[in-house]
Amino acid sequence: MEIVSKAKSFGGTQGVYRHASQCCGCDMTFAVFIPPQAKKMPCPVLWYLSGLTCTHANVMEKGEYRRLAAELGLIIVCPDTSPRGDDVADVEDNWQIGKGAGFYVDATEAPWAKNYRMYSYVVEELPRIIADEFPADMGRQGVFGHSMGGHGALTMALKNPDRFKSCSAFAPIVHPATADWSMNAFRAYLGDDEAVWRQHDACFLIEDGASFPEFLVDQGGADGFLDSGLRPWLLEAACKDTGSKLTLRMQEGYDHSYYFISTFMDDHLRWHAERLSV
């Protein structure tokens, strides 16, 4: 593992790291914030999954999480959103497929299957590195994310309820199998069998019997992608009368940007801290 950069912040350390990923078949970069409490004891881990076109850096630079994460004693891990490199498949004129648009699935179709294995990377490979290299309490993990990353957080929690003890999202793509933003990527990565898509769709997973104790979702009311890509009311309908409790908060006047995310970041960190028994 290569250290790309390190900086002291709020008594802790914000680091950026690079390693050769077996899952993705290329070098992958990720960010980790270590709070000051980790000098004395392992700390719980909160995974942040970013949205379309983003890298690990967007939330690191704009998310405003370090002050409260340092106070609460949370390790924050920020993976990239896709494989990277000159040999990695891409669609240069389509920001919804290819680099920056891994959708947190394991692709099965050529040419994407060679590198686009972001589900296994985030759920299996990167946690091993975090456990080995950082003072992390892997028995206390939570996951949250934005937009495409909100989709990833919801599906990973639903598929791994024994791994994650908390889950929240900012403006998630809740029903990607039917959303304008994601249908083309699902078809490219997973093929034409829409039954396969259900395994990577929060609404369908809940409909098919998966559950998670509770979700927190914040959604901007002025989000320009609300009706075409996000549609949180579909998650609300899916969770109704099931084992998954949803707190959906519509935030009037807020859009899809990091101005929105940073405004409610503290709420989400405290939500996770309570459920991770910090």
Side-chain angles (χ1 to χ4, degrees), residues 103 151 155 173-187 190 193-205 229 231 234:
F103 274 95
H151 139 73
T155 57
I173 305 173
V174 304
H175 205 359
T178 65
D180 293 347
W181 267 22
S182 40
M183 290 177 64
N184 290 336
F186 270 35
R187 181 169 288 105
L190 303 172
D193 185 356
E194 296 185 12
V196 176
W197 302 5
R198 298 182 71 92
Q199 302 167 31
H200 307 279
D201 182 296
C203 289
F204 279 146
L205 283 168
R231 307 173 297 165
L234 298 179

Side-chain angles (χ1 to χ4, degrees), residues 108-154:
T108 58
E109 304 299 304
W112 312 102
K114 179 182 177 182
N115 303 107
Y116 284 74
R117 296 179 48 79
M118 291 303 296
Y119 179 84
S120 291
Y121 176 70
V122 174
V123 172
E124 298 174 9
E125 184 176 16
L126 192 51
R128 290 195 294 267
I129 293 174
I130 299 302
D132 290 343
E133 301 289 343
F134 299 93
D137 181 350
M138 302 304 283
R140 294 188 289 166
Q141 295 184 63
V143 61
F144 68 148
H146 170 232
S147 195
M148 178 184 71
H151 139 73
L154 294 171

